[in-house]
Amino acid sequence: MNQRRGQFTGVVCANIPLCREHFKLVMEVRGFPPTKAGQFVQLLCRSTRDLDYVERELEWPSPQRPEVENVDLIAPTALLRRPFSLAGATTDGETATIEVIHRVVGVGTDWLVQLRTGDEVGILGPLGNTFSHPVENQIAILVGGGVGIPPMLYLASELVGKKVIAFCGATTRDLLSLTVTADARTPGIDSIEPLYNIQEFAAHGIPAVISTDDGSYGFRGFVTQSLQEYLDRFRIRGEMAVIYTCGPEVMMKRVADLARARQIPCQVAVERAMACGMGTCQSCCIRVKKPDASAVPLPGQDWCYRLACTDGPVFAGEELLW
Amino acid sequence: MNQRRGQFTGVVCANIPLCREHFKLVMEVRGFPPTKAGQFVQLLCRSTRDLDYVERELEWPSPQRPEVENVDLIAPTALLRRPFSLAGATTDGETATIEVIHRVVGVGTDWLVQLRTGDEVGILGPLGNTFSHPVENQIAILVGGGVGIPPMLYLASELVGKKVIAFCGATTRDLLSLTVTADARTPGIDSIEPLYNIQEFAAHGIPAVISTDDGSYGFRGFVTQSLQEYLDRFRIRGEMAVIYTCGPEVMMKRVADLARARQIPCQVAVERAMACGMGTCQSCCIRVKKPDASAVPLPGQDWCYRLACTDGPVFAGEELLW
Amino acid sequence: MIDLSVHLAGLKLANPTMTCSGTCGYAFEYGDFMDLSQLGAFVTKSVTREERPGNPPARIVETRGGMLNAIGLANVGLKRFLDEKVPQLEKMPCPIVVNVAGHSYDDYVETVAAMNPIACVGSVELNVSCPNVKDGLTFGTNPGRLKELVHEVKKVLPAKPLMVKLSPNVDDVAVTARAAIEGGADVLTLVNTFTAMSIDIHRRRPRLANVTGGLSGPAIKPIAIHMVSRVYRQVAKAAGVPIVGMGGVQTWQDAAEFILAGASAVAIGTALFVDPAAPNKICEGLGEWVSKQGAEKLSDLVGTVQMPGD
Amino acid sequence: MIDLSVHLAGLKLANPTMTCSGTCGYAFEYGDFMDLSQLGAFVTKSVTREERPGNPPARIVETRGGMLNAIGLANVGLKRFLDEKVPQLEKMPCPIVVNVAGHSYDDYVETVAAMNPIACVGSVELNVSCPNVKDGLTFGTNPGRLKELVHEVKKVLPAKPLMVKLSPNVDDVAVTARAAIEGGADVLTLVNTFTAMSIDIHRRRPRLANVTGGLSGPAIKPIAIHMVSRVYRQVAKAAGVPIVGMGGVQTWQDAAEFILAGASAVAIGTALFVDPAAPNKICEGLGEWVSKQGAEKLSDLVGTVQMPGD
Ligand SMILES: Cc1cc2nc3c(=O)[nH]c(=O)nc-3n(C[C@H](O)[C@H](O)[C@H](O)COP(=O)(O)OP(=O)(O)OC[C@H]3O[C@@H](n4cnc5c(N)ncnc54)[C@H](O)[C@@H]3O)c2cc1C
Ligand SMILES: Cc1cc2nc3c(=O)[nH]c(=O)nc-3n(C[C@H](O)[C@H](O)[C@H](O)COP(=O)(O)OP(=O)(O)OC[C@H]3O[C@@H](n4cnc5c(N)ncnc54)[C@H](O)[C@@H]3O)c2cc1C
Ligand SMILES: Cc1cc2nc3c(=O)[nH]c(=O)nc-3n(C[C@H](O)[C@H](O)[C@H](O)COP(=O)(O)O)c2cc1C
Ligand SMILES: Cc1cc2nc3c(=O)[nH]c(=O)nc-3n(C[C@H](O)[C@H](O)[C@H](O)COP(=O)(O)O)c2cc1C
Ligand code: FES
Ligand code: FES
């Protein structure tokens, strides 16, 4: 198996609606290197044909593809690639099977939704850093909100056999990209009792607490509220646990605050608009504390910018100034 | 039935390969006005969804279509519409069925090729002027080359019962967008004997002479050569006949010359790059003789420009300076 | 009811959608394809003193997200405009702006003077920026000549507001905008097209017979938005001169962007070739947007993009 | 065998594909994604005398066929560049061009002077046109200051060819091109990005924290082609100064268009984000094109678009 990052073509195995607006895209990618939770890929949200003009034009004349005289007209839908966290990955010899969960928010994701089995997707990756696993006996607390759930699923698959609990939230049940097992007990509207009724986590033996803002499933309120209740009830502090989080910025900030107040280490996977995804364009900057030699200090300031794509996407909660 | 030109949505009934690179696109269009041979339509060679952003965004929130925040990204393949001659039209109450034959040469036609039954196509039309029918006892000689054959098919359908003969040419048999009936005699390589073996013309009782540049079917040589031989052999001159032609510019020029030398009236359907198709942009100009009040004279010149989209596409062969 | 009306100096529009000169003919060409009575104002093709045949073909070519044109101001000339087109314009169900171009002060003055007495002409737009005709460029890129031209022209148009259409092919469009206002412009319209070129790499020759042409369409929109914003904040707002924004408007979202940047009205050009009903759809979309923004009048939103310093 | 080699004053490239400053990092960032040894030359991110954190986010936004960036010259500064990046650059398998930006004559002179003795640096490119930093603009749009700057900088770079990168935000790019050549530029590179803006119409604020940004990508290509063609024919050809063309190059066809317009080499920027292997593919495609055109050397095709008057 190839160990180097690179440009690959994935073949779609499945593209399954998980709930309103969220889809799971499973792709087989020959030669894709090993990956870890936290990493992401840059997907070309338009036909890979657009990139391969060299070969195609040289084939002319061909009954299949015309010589496009005026290549200016090859106007794709989404010019730049779009970053997506890995939601899982397995390998079988030379071929990796990778998963992303995408939420339809614009033209790029709208193109992804229309993918069918057998279609091809251009992939750059794997990119970014990874979550650090918990040390012996630490409880891993996975906190995912909305489109931040996918990296938590990948992390869960890596933590099988460890002490893990997941907290997931969505605005409403329709937007919850998780599978509730049919035989499961329905969690109470004010209960934070962890249940094994979320298939994606239960498959790894991991209990989960679900919250929805409107109470349409599980705990009524924000995921940060159920998390806070849990941390308080079980007096979780300091190195006892490590919190992993990904989701909307306001949620991650609150999670980082809850962790900091209790001296619990916290690893945050951030999102930023990205052009390159590999440290060349400087578009994905995020403010962090404690400038060190590898970061640019602002004169007279105690913060600097780091790049979400290469220094991250995973950062320590306490260093982030957002 | 609506009598006004306008913007319509056609529903694809069929999109059939006729030969390498040529496809027949049949569309049903509710409310489409009556048309005549010579006229053309402006096809939107991309999804009509692109045009209807108003309605779609206002539907939000909807599980179907996301609110695209940044509409800049709706980058279609072909920005401008593409003009296509009508190859035929029939009406049934409120609904017209129109045909175009398109040759794949670039991004717009590449998009058309991928259309399937039930897909929608944005149509502006009908546009342009029409061929004038032959007067009593005149022989109508239809001369079509390559992508100029479609308007000749439409004209043939209008001339049923009249004296008509068709001359069609292509570089090679593979590029001939016509159907040879199975039981037909194969025409000789140096014969201009008109046969009833081309289904599209034979259906209207019209004999046809086919030429291919390489002799792979019918007369070996240019369509203009077989036409010349025919005109000479049967001493066709003056008002005895009227020639209609559409095809590559070099072919049409030669046809117009042959006609002029014999004082045969000739109607030429020209092609020009077009943005609007309805006389607003002035992009489709063509040089004609005899400036009259409605054309702009060049000081000291005996020619002026006319618009292919509204003054044409059909012009008298003798007035064209190309 | 949302109030979409716009006042462009003396010219009142029921809504902010206009057509771009040169993309909509002289009058009823789009009559079958759009509802002209729903148009804020109609702007004619440029009229010059003498008839002009225009450039040889090819006159247009499509590029990524845009098109080049080198029409060369093909038009019927002043005399035939008055004889043939004005009677048509009199029947139009919306306000009319006549776009005037020329090669000398005299050209402009004579043509504009001819418009002053015509009742159906609501305003005149000066095209000082068409990049296809050699002399046209100098007026639009030289602030001194521009001011003088506008001043001369304004004298012969006492009865109507004068619009001046700015070229984007300049160091700083705020400088030419100021010159136009000092010369007496009542309304600024921007932008005209960008000088550009496309080459056929197989035949190794320019795609346009005129070699260069003007780039229009969605590709130029972000530059046009910047220019409108700059002119609004640097010059036009303080001077009380309204702006008509254009360059790549296709959807109501594009139009809203221009309005927030500082345009009181927007003009639609290239998009008409794709969808002649675009102005009508834009008008509808803007109405919904204004109400979603909690405003009652579109004019309350003009120039209200919130800048960091504000 | 087709000869694709290019001579840019003293700098020899095996083929005409370069990277655009600011779109490819400092050295090996794309090492896993493209074959750096097949690159004609690598151009670093702009280096300034002092470290710069750059603008606050959002720093980019996509537009129709292009993107805006307002990075604000975020870079490690001269000292760390020398300490950390030069050792990397020494290992690069292709010629290196260091792009230098600054706010004053002294800034430029000091930074450029530091490059003169570094063996692995083949050439320096002056960024006098970055529209995101206030003072940067004045050098690039004022011919007098530009000439003086180039003159000063050239003095401290005796050992290497000097490239000057021109801004497209000017009345006439031939004027700044001439100033740069008079100042002593050995190579001209054009174009940098166009000042532009995008507004979020729902939140009614600019999409970029810096309000304006630079437009790059396919959308600007026709304007860039025109500018290269104009500079080549008006100034550079006669002066014997080669041009590096850029602005929207995605495919070999785009590169061929720049070459016909007068560019000796082409640089690829925005397209790298989409396909980091684009320069390699372009190189391959150009080879086939040159032979189809019946030429033996790519350099024979530079500037050979056939103009009507020729
Ligand atoms: C490291 C990383 C991991 C991500 N993982 C996932 C994931 O697993 N699943 C998923 O659905 N999405 C994920 N995203 C977000 C995803 O990249 C955006 O939703 C996507 O780019 C939107 O593209 P679009 O063309 O559909 O929308 P656009 O039309 O480009 O934009 C629609 C809206 O999304 C916002 N947006 C655009 N790009 C980004 C971006 N890069 N980050 C945040 N917001 C953006 C825009 O501002 C706009 O409001 C991730 C982003 C990053 C940076
Ligand atoms: C009145 C009229 C009737 C036409 N009827 C037919 C028809 O019945 N069937 C058919 O297949 N084609 C017809 N055409 C030509 C058709 O419009 C072009 O083939 C089409 O626009 C190509 O679009 P594209 O995006 O596929 O190619 P592009 O990528 O736009 O161009 C590919 C090649 O075609 C050339 N081209 C582009 N537009 C035109 C144009 N309008 N006229 C001539 N050449 C052009 C380009 O210069 C280029 O060489 C007609 C054109 C006109 C003006
Ligand atoms: C085909 C065409 C012809 C044009 N003719 C004129 C003209 O005669 N006078 C003028 O002032 N502007 C002319 N323009 C410029 C437009 O009025 C408008 O300023 C420009 O196209 C930008 O708007 P858009 O992107 O919506 O097309 C023309 C534009 C096009 C595309
Ligand atoms: C994200 C980004 C950052 C850039 N940074 C710089 C820079 O630091 N210095 C510079 O001279 N040009 C910079 N540019 C401009 C490019 O070098 C190039 O001139 C421009 O993008 C046009 O080429 P393109 O269309 O191929 O991207 C930057 C462009 C982009 C997109
Ligand atoms: S996305 Fe380009 S540097 Fe991070
Ligand atoms: S295509 Fe616009 S005038 Fe003919």
Side-chain angles (χ1 to χ4, degrees):
Chain A
M1 167 134 276
N2 192 352
Q3 297 301 307
R4 276 177 83 198
R5 314 178 302 165
Q7 194 169 159
F8 300 90
T9 301
V11 178
V12 175
C13 310
N15 195 17
I16 311 155
L18 297 178
C19 65
R20 176 156 74 87
E21 295 180 20
H22 288 82
F23 292 73
K24 179 158 83 176
L25 178 64
V26 185
M27 295 169 285
E28 272 186 11
V29 199
R30 264 189 75 84
F32 202 70
T35 57
K36 285 227 168 93
Q39 289 188 295
F40 67 98
V41 287
Q42 281 272 56
L43 298 185
L44 185 74
C45 296
R46 52 181 159 113
S47 169
T48 48
R49 274 175 43 186
D50 290 346
L51 299 191
D52 290 323
Y53 246 73
V54 183
E55 299 85 62
R56 281 199 292 137
E57 184 148 42
L58 299 182
E59 270 167 20
W60 176 260
S62 115
Q64 254 27 54
R65 315 266 345 129
E67 174 172 38
V68 173
E69 289 240 350
N70 189 343
V71 283
D72 274 334
L73 307 192
I74 310 158
T77 307
L79 179 73
L80 298 172
R81 288 172 184 262
R82 301 289 190 260
F84 292 90
S85 305
L86 289 171
T90 56
T91 52
D92 180 6
E94 275 296 295
T95 299
T97 302
I98 65 174
E99 281 179 26
V100 302
I101 294 173
H102 53 98
R103 178 173 181 197
V104 187
V105 297
V107 281
T109 43
D110 192 27
W111 187 87
L112 289 181
V113 161
Q114 287 156 38
L115 288 170
R116 299 281 160 269
T117 306
D119 287 349
E120 297 190 342
V121 183
I123 305 173
L124 285 183
L127 301 166
N129 67 0
T130 63
F131 292 111
S132 307
H133 284 196
V135 294
E136 211 57 48
N137 268 323
Q138 256 182 338
I139 311 165
I141 306 175
L142 278 43
V143 188
V147 109
I149 294 175
M152 296 300 133
L153 299 180
Y154 194 4
L155 185 58
S157 76
E158 291 181 344
L159 299 181
V160 176
K162 310 227 165 160
K163 279 196 270 180
V164 186
I165 176 170
F167 288 80
C168 287
T171 31
T172 185
R173 186 177 176 149
D174 273 10
L175 285 174
L176 185 69
S177 59
L178 295 168
T179 320
V180 181
T181 50
D183 56 341
R185 188 146 54 93
T186 301
I189 205 157
D190 49 10
S191 151
I192 56 155
E193 187 194 348
L195 298 177
Y196 287 87
N197 64 337
I198 299 302
Q199 191 181 298
E200 287 82 353
F201 292 106
H204 307 301
I206 297 174
V209 177
I210 302 298
S211 18
T212 50
D213 299 358
D214 60 0
S216 49
Y217 189 80
F219 182 88
R220 186 212 303 264
F222 298 135
V223 68
T224 48
Q225 292 175 299
S226 52
L227 174 68
Q228 180 171 9
E229 242 187 86
Y230 174 83
L231 295 177
D232 290 345
R233 185 173 313 166
F234 298 97
R235 294 173 203 270
I236 297 175
R237 299 190 64 85
E239 301 292 326
M240 280 171 67
V242 52
I243 298 180
Y244 301 90
T245 187
C246 186
E249 196 161 300
V250 40
M251 180 204 97
M252 293 192 286
K253 277 182 183 160
R254 180 85 187 111
V255 172
D257 286 345
L258 291 173
R260 192 181 305 110
R262 291 162 183 78
Q263 286 96 45
I264 305 171
C266 176
Q267 298 179 27
V268 180
V270 303
E271 274 194 18
R272 276 289 181 277
M274 291 181 177
C276 71
M278 51 187 83
T280 70
C281 73
Q282 309 278 327
S283 64
C284 60
C285 64
I286 187 159
R287 283 207 308 156
V288 300
K289 271 187 260 183
K290 309 182 297 179
D292 63 20
S294 72
V296 182
L298 199 65
Q301 299 281 8
D302 58 355
W303 61 267
C304 63
Y305 286 125
R306 304 291 296 268
L307 298 181
C309 68
T310 46
D311 300 322
V314 181
F315 292 90
E318 59 275 19
E319 84 179 311
L320 281 176
L321 289 168
W322 310 88
Chain B
M1 165 135 279
N2 192 351
Q3 297 301 306
R4 275 176 83 198
R5 312 179 304 166
Q7 195 169 161
F8 300 90
T9 301
V11 178
V12 176
C13 310
N15 194 17
I16 311 155
L18 297 177
C19 65
R20 174 154 75 85
E21 298 180 19
H22 289 82
F23 291 73
K24 179 159 84 178
L25 178 63
V26 186
M27 296 169 285
E28 272 186 11
V29 198
R30 263 189 75 85
F32 201 69
T35 58
K36 284 228 169 92
Q39 288 188 297
F40 67 98
V41 287
Q42 281 272 56
L43 297 185
L44 185 74
C45 295
R46 52 180 158 112
S47 170
T48 48
R49 275 174 43 186
D50 291 345
L51 299 190
D52 290 322
Y53 247 73
V54 184
E55 298 85 63
R56 281 200 292 138
E57 183 147 43
L58 299 182
E59 273 168 16
W60 176 260
S62 116
Q64 252 30 51
R65 313 263 351 125
E67 174 172 39
V68 174
E69 288 240 351
N70 188 345
V71 282
D72 273 336
L73 307 193
I74 310 159
T77 306
L79 180 73
L80 299 171
R81 289 174 183 259
R82 301 289 189 260
F84 292 90
S85 306
L86 289 171
T90 56
T91 52
D92 180 7
E94 275 296 296
T95 299
T97 302
I98 65 174
E99 281 179 28
V100 303
I101 294 173
H102 52 98
R103 179 176 178 192
V104 187
V105 296
V107 281
T109 44
D110 193 27
W111 187 87
L112 290 181
V113 160
Q114 287 156 36
L115 288 171
R116 299 280 161 269
T117 306
D119 288 347
E120 295 190 344
V121 183
I123 304 172
L124 284 183
L127 302 166
N129 66 0
T130 63
F131 293 112
S132 305
H133 284 197
V135 295
E136 209 60 46
N137 267 323
Q138 258 182 337
I139 310 166
I141 305 175
L142 278 42
V143 187
V147 109
I149 295 176
M152 295 302 133
L153 299 179
Y154 194 3
L155 184 58
S157 75
E158 291 180 345
L159 299 181
V160 176
K162 308 228 167 162
K163 278 195 269 180
V164 187
I165 177 169
F167 288 80
C168 289
T171 33
T172 184
R173 188 180 172 144
D174 274 11
L175 286 174
L176 185 68
S177 60
L178 295 168
T179 319
V180 181
T181 51
D183 57 339
R185 186 148 54 95
T186 302
I189 205 158
D190 49 9
S191 152
I192 56 156
E193 187 195 350
L195 298 176
Y196 286 88
N197 63 338
I198 300 301
Q199 192 180 297
E200 287 82 353
F201 292 106
H204 307 301
I206 296 174
V209 177
I210 302 297
S211 18
T212 50
D213 299 359
D214 61 359
S216 51
Y217 188 81
F219 182 87
R220 187 212 302 266
F222 299 133
V223 68
T224 47
Q225 293 175 299
S226 54
L227 174 69
Q228 181 171 9
E229 241 186 270
Y230 174 84
L231 296 177
D232 289 344
R233 186 175 310 168
F234 298 97
R235 294 173 204 270
I236 295 174
R237 300 189 63 84
E239 301 291 328
M240 281 171 66
V242 52
I243 297 181
Y244 301 89
T245 187
C246 186
E249 194 159 300
V250 40
M251 180 204 97
M252 291 192 286
K253 277 183 186 162
R254 180 84 186 113
V255 172
D257 286 345
L258 292 173
R260 192 181 305 111
R262 291 162 184 78
Q263 286 96 45
I264 304 171
C266 176
Q267 299 180 26
V268 181
V270 303
E271 275 195 17
R272 277 290 182 274
M274 291 181 176
C276 71
M278 51 187 82
T280 69
C281 74
Q282 309 279 326
S283 64
C284 61
C285 64
I286 187 159
R287 283 206 307 155
V288 300
K289 271 187 262 184
K290 309 182 297 179
D292 62 19
S294 71
V296 181
L298 200 65
Q301 299 282 9
D302 57 355
W303 60 267
C304 63
Y305 286 124
R306 305 290 296 267
L307 298 180
C309 68
T310 45
D311 299 322
V314 181
F315 291 91
E318 59 276 17
E319 83 179 310
L320 280 177
L321 289 168
W322 310 88
Chain C
M1 256 309 287
I2 298 297
D3 177 3
L4 292 178
S5 69
V6 174
H7 291 241
L8 297 178
L11 190 71
K12 290 197 182 72
L13 319 188
N15 72 65
T17 60
M18 298 171 56
T19 56
C20 284
S21 174
T23 65
C24 53
Y26 292 106
F28 285 98
E29 282 89 339
Y30 283 124
D32 287 343
F33 300 91
M34 74 161 100
D35 184 346
L36 294 167
S37 73
Q38 294 294 312
L39 208 52
F42 177 87
V43 184
T44 68
K45 171 79 189 160
S46 282
V47 179
T48 55
R49 189 166 57 175
E50 316 299 339
E51 290 191 41
R52 291 179 54 88
N55 292 325
R59 291 180 172 181
I60 55 161
V61 59
E62 187 167 321
T63 65
R64 176 72 65 97
M67 66 180 283
L68 307 187
N69 87 79
I71 305 298
L73 291 180
N75 83 97
V76 297
L78 178 57
K79 191 182 168 313
R80 284 180 53 206
F81 178 80
L82 297 174
D83 293 351
E84 300 167 19
K85 305 300 177 186
V86 169
Q88 294 294 313
L89 287 171
E90 278 165 355
K91 295 183 208 138
M92 288 280 280
C94 61
I96 302 298
V97 179
V98 175
N99 181 295
V100 170
H103 290 151
S104 64
Y105 291 100
D106 288 353
D107 273 4
Y108 279 105
V109 168
E110 187 177 329
T111 314
V112 172
M115 302 304 156
N116 194 55
I118 304 173
C120 72
V121 174
S123 172
V124 169
E125 180 182 48
L126 280 199
N127 174 4
V128 292
S129 48
C130 181
N132 301 323
V133 178
K134 281 200 190 76
D135 296 284
L137 196 60
T138 46
F139 287 106
T141 55
N142 180 315
R145 288 191 71 183
L146 178 61
K147 180 173 161 183
E148 205 179 322
L149 174 68
V150 175
H151 186 74
E152 293 303 311
V153 161
K154 186 66 200 159
K155 282 193 229 160
V156 297
L157 195 74
K160 305 179 197 295
L162 177 66
M163 304 188 173
V164 176
K165 185 165 179 178
L166 300 176
S167 165
N169 300 297
V170 293
D171 290 356
D172 182 359
V173 70
V175 172
T176 38
R178 191 171 291 116
I181 291 176
E182 285 170 4
D186 301 302
V187 179
L188 297 177
T189 63
L190 62 155
V191 298
N192 212 316
T193 55
F194 289 77
T195 311
M197 180 174 174
S198 173
I199 297 173
D200 180 328
I201 60 165
H202 302 293
R203 295 173 197 84
R204 285 202 249 157
R205 56 178 196 220
R207 285 183 188 273
L208 295 175
N210 189 55
V211 180
T212 60
L215 180 64
S216 64
I220 66 170
K221 195 190 72 177
I223 318 182
I225 293 284
H226 159 66
M227 290 185 171
V228 166
S229 169
R230 182 163 172 83
V231 168
Y232 179 73
R233 297 174 74 89
Q234 299 285 315
V235 191
K237 187 181 180 184
V241 171
I243 294 173
V244 178
M246 67 191 87
V249 176
Q250 298 211 117
T251 62
W252 67 261
Q253 289 96 330
D254 299 326
E257 219 177 322
F258 273 97
I259 284 160
L260 291 174
S264 296
V266 290
I268 297 121
T270 303
L272 293 176
F273 304 147
V274 180
D275 184 359
N280 301 155
K281 293 184 186 170
I282 287 170
C283 185
E284 192 189 328
L286 282 178
E288 301 267 353
W289 173 68
V290 171
S291 78
K292 271 199 200 165
Q293 288 293 320
E296 273 163 29
K297 298 191 296 204
L298 180 110
S299 56
D300 289 344
L301 294 174
V302 171
T304 60
V305 57
Q306 214 198 315
M307 297 291 195
D310 294 356
Chain D
M1 258 307 287
I2 298 298
D3 177 3
L4 292 178
S5 70
V6 174
H7 291 243
L8 296 178
L11 190 71
K12 290 196 181 72
L13 318 187
N15 72 64
T17 60
M18 298 171 56
T19 55
C20 284
S21 174
T23 64
C24 54
Y26 292 106
F28 285 98
E29 283 89 338
Y30 283 125
D32 288 342
F33 300 91
M34 74 161 101
D35 184 347
L36 293 167
S37 73
Q38 294 294 311
L39 207 53
F42 177 87
V43 184
T44 68
K45 171 78 189 161
S46 282
V47 180
T48 56
R49 189 163 61 174
E50 316 298 341
E51 289 191 41
R52 292 179 54 90
N55 291 325
R59 289 179 173 183
I60 55 162
V61 60
E62 188 168 322
T63 65
R64 176 72 66 97
M67 66 179 284
L68 307 187
N69 86 80
I71 305 297
L73 291 179
N75 83 99
V76 295
L78 179 58
K79 192 182 168 312
R80 284 180 53 206
F81 178 79
L82 297 175
D83 294 350
E84 299 167 20
K85 306 300 178 185
V86 169
Q88 294 295 314
L89 288 171
E90 278 165 355
K91 295 181 208 138
M92 289 279 280
C94 61
I96 303 297
V97 180
V98 175
N99 181 296
V100 170
H103 290 149
S104 65
Y105 291 100
D106 289 353
D107 273 3
Y108 278 105
V109 168
E110 188 177 328
T111 314
V112 172
M115 301 305 157
N116 194 53
I118 303 173
C120 73
V121 174
S123 172
V124 169
E125 181 182 49
L126 281 199
N127 174 3
V128 293
S129 45
C130 182
N132 302 322
V133 178
K134 281 201 189 75
D135 296 284
L137 195 61
T138 45
F139 287 107
T141 54
N142 181 316
R145 288 190 69 183
L146 178 61
K147 180 174 163 183
E148 204 179 323
L149 173 69
V150 174
H151 186 73
E152 293 302 313
V153 160
K154 185 66 200 159
K155 284 194 228 158
V156 298
L157 195 74
K160 306 180 196 296
L162 177 65
M163 303 186 174
V164 176
K165 185 167 180 179
L166 301 176
S167 165
N169 301 298
V170 293
D171 290 357
D172 181 359
V173 70
V175 172
T176 39
R178 192 171 290 117
I181 291 175
E182 286 171 3
D186 301 301
V187 179
L188 297 177
T189 63
L190 61 157
V191 296
N192 212 316
T193 55
F194 289 76
T195 310
M197 180 176 175
S198 174
I199 297 172
D200 180 328
I201 60 166
H202 301 295
R203 295 175 197 81
R204 283 203 250 160
R205 57 179 194 219
R207 285 183 186 273
L208 296 174
N210 188 54
V211 179
T212 61
L215 180 63
S216 64
I220 66 170
K221 196 191 70 175
I223 319 182
I225 293 285
H226 161 65
M227 290 185 170
V228 166
S229 170
R230 181 161 173 84
V231 168
Y232 179 74
R233 296 174 74 87
Q234 300 284 315
V235 191
K237 187 183 181 183
V241 171
I243 295 172
V244 179
M246 70 191 83
V249 176
Q250 297 211 117
T251 62
W252 68 261
Q253 290 97 328
D254 299 326
E257 218 177 324
F258 273 98
I259 284 160
L260 292 174
S264 295
V266 289
I268 299 121
T270 303
L272 293 176
F273 304 146
V274 181
D275 183 359
N280 302 156
K281 293 184 187 170
I282 287 170
C283 186
E284 191 189 329
L286 282 178
E288 302 267 352
W289 173 68
V290 172
S291 78
K292 270 199 201 164
Q293 288 292 321
E296 274 163 26
K297 298 192 296 204
L298 179 110
S299 57
D300 289 345
L301 294 174
V302 171
T304 61
V305 58
Q306 215 199 314
M307 296 291 196
D310 295 356

